Amino acid sequence: MTWSDNSKTAAKLLTFAAGMLGFALFVMPPLYDAFCEITGLNGKTGGRYEAVPAAVDQERLVKVQFVATHNENMPWSFRPDVLEMRVHPGQAVDTVFHASNPTGRDMVGQAIPSLVPSKAAAYFHKTECFCFNQQALAAGEAAELSLRFIVDPDLPRSVNTITLSYTLFDVTERVANKTDNKNTDSEREG
């Protein structure tokens, strides 16, 4: 092999690697999200659910467990008010999570839900959830974060326990960058 052959091979490999990186960063996440939403895999829960009156199944109880964690870079305290409850399918249920910002700076958090077993995701409906919005807490501030949900009466009888887990992420910089970009764009327009 000559020097030019090696250069061509290296250029092809670098182009291929850059293409794979671009595919992994920009194409795969939306495809994965769509796949999870359609199949219910990875226990992703859907967005806001518009409640319609349904019969409550008074003869059945489903245990719903709540787990709250935070990303290693998130210094907030974050916990559910109750660790578990038993609910009748079709019943609208309210609960709260507690978050506090012990730092000396204002921060913004975003909670990402996950549900186990994944086949229950299509039957767990959130009508109100703190996860629909980012949560801004000032330095030293605490908040109660509301959750209202309904377990669908059509939940398969084989599912007796559902675990709803939230992971809290620090999105302060991302929110600041978006605000800075909007301000820059409006200054250009004005």
Side-chain angles (χ1 to χ4, degrees), residues 1-12:
M1 261 194 177
T2 66
W3 178 255
S4 69
D5 288 341
N6 287 339
S7 296
K8 287 179 185 176
T9 302
K12 287 178 184 177

Side-chain angles (χ1 to χ4, degrees), residues 28-182:
M28 283 303 293
L31 287 175
Y32 178 74
D33 287 342
F35 177 76
C36 289
E37 189 172 318
I38 291 167
T39 64
L41 290 176
N42 194 26
K44 287 197 170 204
T45 62
R48 185 180 311 271
Y49 176 78
E50 295 299 323
V52 293
V56 175
D57 185 348
Q58 295 290 341
E59 296 181 12
R60 182 174 178 203
L61 283 171
V62 175
K63 181 169 40 171
V64 179
Q65 301 172 321
F66 303 100
V67 177
T69 60
H70 50 80
N71 178 272
E72 65 187 29
N73 297 323
M74 177 52 117
W76 289 9
S77 154
F78 180 52
R79 65 177 176 77
D81 191 42
V82 296
L83 296 177
E84 69 180 43
M85 59 177 57
R86 295 189 183 280
V87 303
H88 293 286
Q91 171 188 11
V93 181
D94 293 301
T95 189
V96 297
F97 282 65
H98 300 273
S100 63
N101 176 2
T103 70
R105 64 186 177 100
D106 297 352
M107 295 180 68
V108 179
Q110 176 70 55
I112 305 298
S114 182
L115 198 116
V116 174
S118 59
K119 67 181 174 182
Y123 303 96
F124 191 89
H125 308 299
K126 297 177 303 242
T127 58
E128 294 177 29
C129 184
F130 57 91
C131 64
F132 296 152
N133 303 303
Q134 295 168 338
Q135 305 299 319
L137 292 180
E141 186 179 17
E144 284 190 355
L145 309 174
S146 297
L147 169 65
R148 175 175 270 207
F149 66 91
I150 300 168
V151 174
D152 196 303
D154 292 332
L155 177 74
R157 291 240 174 233
S158 61
V159 178
N160 298 311
T161 302
I162 297 172
T163 302
L164 177 61
S165 173
Y166 287 99
T167 303
L168 191 63
F169 291 88
D170 178 5
V171 294
T172 306
E173 287 184 27
R174 184 180 309 158
V175 170
N177 290 340
K178 281 185 180 179
T179 303
D180 290 344
N181 288 341
K182 283 183 183 177

